[in-house]
C-alpha cells in the first residue's frame, strides 16, 4: 500500500494507480479500510499501484482532486486520465473494475479539474495555506493564550500592508520597464493659419 502526500503524489502521474482518499474520523472510511487493505495485496495481477491519502493532513492534495466526500476513490492512468470510481466498495467489484478495465467506461474529468492543471494547483495551494494558517492560529491561542480577536486584527493588518506593498511594487516595476512616453505638444492649426495669413498680408503690403 502506497501512501501519497503533497510531497510525493506526482509519482501517481506515471503508470496506473487506484487511490483512496480517507480520514481517520470518517466512519465509512474505517469500515472500508480492511477491504482496501486486502484489495491492495492483490494488485499485482492488475498492474496497478494501490495508494491512500489521509485528507486530515493532506488538505492541499484533497483540494487538488476536488474531494467532497469520503471515502473517495480515483483511478489514474498515465497522469493524463483521472476517473472517479462510483461503484460498490467490495473486493470483487474493485477487482472487476481493474481486471475488465471498466474504468474505460467512465468519462475522465475535464482538463481544468485535473489535479495537475493550473486551476487545481491553485486550489491545492490555497488549501495548504489555509491549513498552515489554521495550525498557526491554534498554536498562538494554545501556547500564548492570544485572543482570537487580536489574531484576526493582525491578519487583516498584514493583508492590507501586503496589498499596499504589492501595489507599490507593481507601480515601480511598471515605471521602470514601461516608462510613460513624452507627449508631443499640440499644434493649434487655427492660430497657425491666422499667423500665416497675417504674414502673407504684410508681405504683400511691403511689395507694394
Amino acid at each position: 500500500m502506497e501512501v501519497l502526500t503533497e510531497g510525493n503524489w506526482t509519482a501517481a502521474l506515471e503508470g496506473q494507480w487506484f487511490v483512496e482518499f480517507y480520514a481517520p474520523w470518517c466512519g465509512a472510511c474505517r469500515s472500508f479500510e480492511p477491504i482496501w487493505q486486502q484489495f491492495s495485496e492483490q494488485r499485482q495481477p492488475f498492474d496497478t499501484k494501490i495508494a491512500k491519502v489521509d485528507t486530515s493532513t493532506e488538505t492541499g492534495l484533497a483540494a487538488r482532486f476536488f474531494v467532497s466526500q469520503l471515502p473517495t476513490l480515483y483511478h489514474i492512468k498515465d497522469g493524463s486520465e483521472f476517473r472517479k470510481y462510483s461503484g460498490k466498495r467490495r473486493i470483487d467489484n474493485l477487482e472487476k473494475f481493474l481486471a475488465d478495465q471498466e474504468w474505460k467506461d467512465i468519462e475522465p474529468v475535464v482538463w481544468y479539474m485535473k489535479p495537475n492543471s493550473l486551476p487545481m494547483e491553485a486550489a491545492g495551494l490555497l488549501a495548504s495555506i489555509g491549513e498552515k494558517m489554521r495550525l498557526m492560529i491554534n498554536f498562538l491561542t494554545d501556547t500564548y493564550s492570544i485572543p482570537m480577536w487580536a489574531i484576526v486584527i493582525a491578519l487583516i493588518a498584514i493583508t492590507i500592508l501586503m496589498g499596499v506593498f504589492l501595489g507599490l511594487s507593481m507601480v515601480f516595476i511598471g515605471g521602470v520597464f514601461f516608462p510613460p512616453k513624452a507627449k508631443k505638444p499640440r499644434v493649434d492649426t487655427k492660430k497657425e493659419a491666422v499667423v500665416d495669413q497675417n504674414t502673407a498680408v504684410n508681405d504683400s503690403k511691403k511689395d507694394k
Side-chain angles (χ1 to χ4, degrees):
M1 175 82 71
E2 305 283 343
V3 177
L4 296 181
T5 66
E6 189 66 38
N8 68 357
W9 80 274
T10 52
L13 300 180
E14 297 181 3
Q16 188 171 199
W17 290 69
F18 207 7
V19 184
E20 177 205 11
F21 291 82
Y22 75 100
W25 49 262
C26 170
C29 299
R30 289 197 295 268
S31 300
F32 182 61
E33 182 179 3
I35 297 174
W36 191 246
Q37 181 63 41
Q38 183 180 348
F39 173 67
S40 69
E41 297 168 358
Q42 304 173 6
R43 69 184 185 276
Q44 293 298 335
F46 310 114
D47 192 26
T48 303
K49 292 184 178 180
I50 309 301
K52 60 182 180 179
V53 177
D54 184 353
T55 59
S56 66
T57 58
E58 301 298 330
T59 53
L61 194 52
R64 278 180 178 272
F65 281 81
F66 200 65
V67 175
S68 57
Q69 62 181 12
L70 298 174
T72 291
L73 303 179
Y74 260 98
H75 179 270
I76 306 172
K77 177 66 174 175
D78 298 328
S80 60
E81 299 176 4
F82 301 83
R83 296 174 171 87
K84 185 180 292 187
Y85 176 80
S86 57
K88 295 181 179 179
R89 301 190 189 101
R90 293 167 41 183
I91 289 182
D92 55 342
N93 295 104
L94 296 171
E95 290 177 348
K96 191 171 184 296
F97 178 75
L98 294 180
D100 297 346
Q101 297 187 348
E102 293 181 351
W103 48 268
K104 290 184 177 181
D105 299 330
I106 302 174
E107 189 70 21
V109 300
V110 294
W111 68 268
Y112 54 83
M113 293 297 292
K114 293 180 179 181
N116 54 350
S117 68
L118 186 59
M120 299 314 292
E121 283 186 5
L125 178 61
L126 290 174
S128 296
I129 292 174
E131 178 64 15
K132 286 180 174 59
M133 289 183 65
R134 185 186 68 82
L135 294 174
M136 181 188 69
I137 291 172
N138 290 341
F139 174 77
L140 292 175
T141 54
D142 295 341
T143 305
Y144 298 103
S145 300
I146 299 176
M148 182 60 68
W149 62 266
I151 296 175
V152 172
I153 291 176
L155 290 175
I156 292 174
I158 292 171
T159 302
I160 293 173
L161 290 174
M162 288 180 63
V164 172
F165 174 76
L166 289 175
L168 293 175
S169 299
M170 293 297 291
V171 172
F172 174 76
I173 293 172
V176 171
F177 293 98
F178 306 100
K181 296 181 179 179
K183 293 184 178 180
K184 294 182 179 179
R186 291 185 60 185
V187 178
D188 194 332
T189 55
K190 291 183 179 180
K191 288 184 177 180
E192 280 194 350
V194 172
V195 172
D196 291 342
Q197 186 178 3
N198 292 336
T199 303
V201 171
N202 294 332
D203 291 342
S204 63
K205 286 182 179 179
K206 289 179 181 179
D207 293 338
K208 291 179 180 180

